Amino acid sequence: MGFCVLIPARLASTRLPDKPLADIGGAPMVVRVAQRAARSRAARVVVAADDLRIVRACETHGVQAVLTHKDHPSGSDRLAQACELLGLDGDDAVVNVQGDEPLIEPALIDAVAALLVSRPEAAMSTAAHAIADKAEFRNPNVVKAVLDANGMALYFSRAPIPWWRDGSPGQASITAALPPLRHVGLYAYRARFLRLFPRLAPAPVEQVEALEQLRALWHGHRIAVHVTDTAPGIGVDTPQDLERVRALWRERSA
């Protein structure tokens, strides 16, 4: 199973300036992400950067990188340009690994890629895991997914779904009959669809929820979902997240 991992990396970040270049154990974070991705079965791992400093940092550490436009409105647009630069098209499988996930599990990358290859009716695949914590279920920053009988996404939302009608009145309750699923922001695409995606009109539901994957569902494209038993490693959005990851990295390296 051959697939390409693309890692979008944007230098600007409101909460953590120069985030892709933040040091983790002696290497930039985006390099650590690429090194983790290289442990998967990917035939190729490439960083899609918006700044030459990222490209040079990657090259210093032996990681392939391509320079994309600075003004892309989303990571998907950046990856679509990277597909063109790398000559990826048709049914080539492309996995989007976020550049702030230095603890990503290579096995999860493999699983999402394999699911896409096995489901020809899907334009995309992604991952999710069960939520047991009520606070997470209620948290709008935790995106929830609801699937159909065949493991295809019905909807993604920041709201607590599915809502248990017979749970505690007025409360977002969790039922063992249908545990809610937390969406994991890891995607695999067919390159043809990835190059099409930025040209699709933004969907009203996408704009309301601020969830880009809803554009695919709105336009009738299907998303297969791999349900994993374990939550992925923490991502880096804030300086506090970065310190937690650095501490975990030191523990693993000791």
Side-chain angles (χ1 to χ4, degrees):
M1 177 187 64
F3 62 91
C4 176
V5 168
L6 293 182
I7 303 169
R10 180 171 163 267
L11 204 59
S13 172
T14 55
R15 289 187 285 183
L16 190 59
D18 295 347
K19 182 163 72 168
L21 301 179
D23 182 87
I24 297 177
M29 177 162 56
V30 69
V31 169
R32 293 303 190 195
V33 176
Q35 290 171 341
R36 293 289 291 174
R39 297 184 184 182
S40 73
R41 297 176 183 170
R44 195 175 189 184
V45 176
V46 184
V47 172
D50 76 336
D51 192 283
L52 271 175
R53 283 186 288 167
I54 300 174
V55 174
R56 289 170 181 151
C58 288
E59 291 174 344
T60 296
H61 291 271
V63 172
Q64 184 181 1
V66 293
L67 183 64
T68 59
H69 300 318
K70 283 185 176 293
D71 57 354
H72 284 306
S74 72
S76 298
D77 293 87
R78 192 170 310 287
L79 295 192
Q81 186 191 1
C83 279
E84 293 180 13
L85 294 172
L86 296 169
L88 301 174
D89 203 353
D91 285 330
D92 291 340
V94 178
V95 179
N96 174 2
V97 175
Q98 297 301 318
D100 56 7
E101 297 280 351
L103 302 179
I104 187 75
E105 285 297 332
L108 186 59
I109 297 173
D110 290 336
V112 170
L115 180 61
L116 180 69
V117 172
S118 70
R119 302 297 295 268
E121 71 274 30
M124 298 170 55
S125 63
T126 189
H129 66 88
I131 299 173
D133 183 79
K134 290 182 181 179
E136 276 199 1
F137 188 41
R138 292 190 295 265
N139 187 346
N141 294 316
V142 173
V143 178
K144 276 68 71 172
V146 175
L147 315 184
D148 68 13
N150 297 311
M152 292 289 187
L154 289 171
Y155 193 65
F156 298 90
S157 181
R158 298 183 182 279
I161 59 171
W163 183 272
W164 186 18
R165 186 199 64 177
D166 296 330
S168 302
Q171 298 293 319
S173 302
I174 293 176
T175 170
L178 186 63
L181 296 174
R182 177 177 187 161
H183 177 233
V184 178
L186 174 69
Y187 298 97
Y189 311 79
R190 302 187 195 285
R192 180 190 302 108
F193 176 72
L194 181 53
R195 294 174 72 161
L196 166 70
F197 185 82
R199 300 198 298 271
L200 296 175
V205 69
E206 166 197 358
Q207 295 170 322
V208 168
E209 293 259 20
L211 296 174
E212 194 180 50
Q213 67 269 33
L214 290 174
R215 187 186 313 179
L217 296 182
W218 176 268
H219 287 281
H221 299 280
R222 309 197 72 188
I223 303 175
V225 182
H226 168 73
V227 179
T228 176
D229 293 332
T230 57
I234 61 172
V236 178
D237 290 317
T238 66
Q240 293 76 21
D241 293 337
L242 179 60
E243 289 309 313
R244 288 171 63 200
V245 168
R246 282 171 170 166
L248 288 168
W249 200 275
R250 285 193 296 269
E251 288 176 15
R252 293 184 179 188
S253 303

